[in-house]
Amino acid sequence: MSETPVRRPRHLMDPNNPVRPVNNKALTHVQRWVVSVLAVFTIAHLSIGLVIASLIVVGQSNTPRIGLNVIAGMFGLVAVAVGFVIHKKSPLTPWLLLGLIPMIVGLWITLG
């Protein structure tokens, strides 16, 4: 008495014979993009929050406002660099200057 294998419909996966290997290159590519977008946007939100905080700071001197905008620029640089590092590329590119946009806009609004 030999057992006949269970025939599954074509649209169902056979657990004994998976169609896709575990280390799928396309899946890894998508995961890398999702992680980099989440990381960059999370850090960019922090940078923008610092620019908004610089607008809320009350005082006679502009020093705290300028300081918060400079810190926002540093976080912007980190955000762009993290995106490149996640994609296994060198973060030292001209694109790194995009991280300074929050600082430039913040200083323009604060001092303008």
Side-chain angles (χ1 to χ4, degrees), residues 32-33 80-93:
R32 188 172 290 141
W33 271 102
V80 175
V82 163
F84 278 101
V85 169
I86 289 174
H87 286 280
K88 297 182 180 176
K89 299 192 182 212
S90 173
L92 300 174
T93 65

Side-chain angles (χ1 to χ4, degrees), residues 37-94:
V37 167
L38 287 173
V40 169
F41 274 90
T42 301
I43 300 170
H45 276 88
L46 174 64
S47 180
I48 293 169
L50 286 168
V51 170
I52 293 170
S54 74
L55 299 174
I56 297 173
V57 171
V58 179
Q60 303 270 332
S61 174
N62 279 335
T63 306
R65 292 178 180 171
I66 294 171
L68 285 171
N69 283 309
V70 169
I71 294 170
M74 286 191 245
F75 274 113
L77 291 173
V78 168
V80 175
V82 163
F84 278 101
V85 169
I86 289 174
H87 286 280
K88 297 182 180 176
K89 299 192 182 212
S90 173
L92 300 174
T93 65

